[in-house]
């Protein structure tokens, strides 16, 4: 019986006295940097309802690059339907498209009866995107 205890105790003692795993020499791992997609021309969809305004920016194939809405910016309740909220949402989406994807010109497609229709389009122009067509 004492021999079994010694055999069981020996591996535990070796583990505690050995070098920690972090000190072992390892090659440093590098993550591959994600390639930045450059999209020079895109399509902006503005959906302006009475309660909210959503802006989605896509590439020419229809894949969504970025989006924003008055609610996502932080407006709540009836303030989401205001032209100012639409302007802020439009500026946020346009900023991401311009800075991260290098977008320069856009085609705008507007839908809905909301009060944020025109101010969203004006904000896109103010953000530095060249508007080619408004539909």
């Amino acid at each position: 019986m004492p021999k079994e205890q010694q055999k069981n105790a020996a591996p535990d003692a070796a583990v505690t006295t050995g070098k920690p795993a972090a000190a072992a020499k390892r090659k440093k791992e590098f993550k591959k940097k994600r390639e930045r997609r450059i999209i020079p021309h895109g399509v902006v969809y503005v959906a302006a309802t009475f309660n909210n305004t959503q802006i989605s920016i896509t590439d020419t194939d229809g894949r969504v690059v970025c989006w924003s809405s008055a609610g996502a910016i932080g407006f709540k309740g009836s303030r989401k339907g205001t032209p100012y909220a639409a302007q802020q949402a439009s500026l946020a989406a346009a900023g991401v498209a311009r800075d991260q994807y290098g977008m320069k010109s856009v085609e705008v497609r507007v839908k809905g009866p909301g009060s944020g229709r025109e101010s969203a389009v004006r904000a896109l122009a103010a953000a530095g995107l060249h508007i080619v067509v408004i539909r």
Side-chain angles (χ1 to χ4, degrees), residues 2-20:
K3 287 183 182 179
E4 289 176 358
Q5 288 177 350
Q6 286 177 353
K7 285 181 185 177
N8 291 343
D12 293 338
V15 170
T16 55
T17 57
K19 293 181 180 178

Side-chain angles (χ1 to χ4, degrees), residues 94-112:
V96 171
R98 188 189 62 234
D99 297 339
Q100 289 186 4
Y101 296 96
M103 198 170 285
K104 290 182 175 63
S105 63
V106 292
E107 178 181 322
V108 182
R109 297 184 185 174
V110 186
K111 253 186 190 174

Side-chain angles (χ1 to χ4, degrees), residues 31-52:
K31 283 188 177 180
K32 193 172 183 181
K33 197 170 184 180
R34 191 172 151 242
E35 269 187 47
R36 201 177 88 154
R37 242 171 77 200
I38 304 238
I39 305 167
H41 182 75
V43 182
V44 178
Y45 294 92
V46 178
T49 66
F50 292 120
N51 297 320
N52 203 354

Side-chain angles (χ1 to χ4, degrees), residues 29-86:
E29 294 176 18
F30 292 101
K31 283 188 177 180
K32 193 172 183 181
K33 197 170 184 180
R34 191 172 151 242
E35 269 187 47
R36 201 177 88 154
R37 242 171 77 200
I38 304 238
I39 305 167
H41 182 75
V43 182
V44 178
Y45 294 92
V46 178
T49 66
F50 292 120
N51 297 320
N52 203 354
T53 304
Q54 291 125 3
I55 289 99
S56 357
I57 301 178
T58 68
D59 57 7
T60 50
D61 297 330
R63 292 182 293 237
V64 174
V65 172
C66 59
W67 66 273
S68 184
S69 71
I73 296 296
F75 291 95
K76 289 184 177 181
S78 61
R79 286 186 294 167
K80 288 191 297 185
T82 62
Y84 179 72

Side-chain angles (χ1 to χ4, degrees), residues 83-94:
Y84 179 72
Q87 177 187 355
Q88 294 303 311
S90 193
L91 283 171

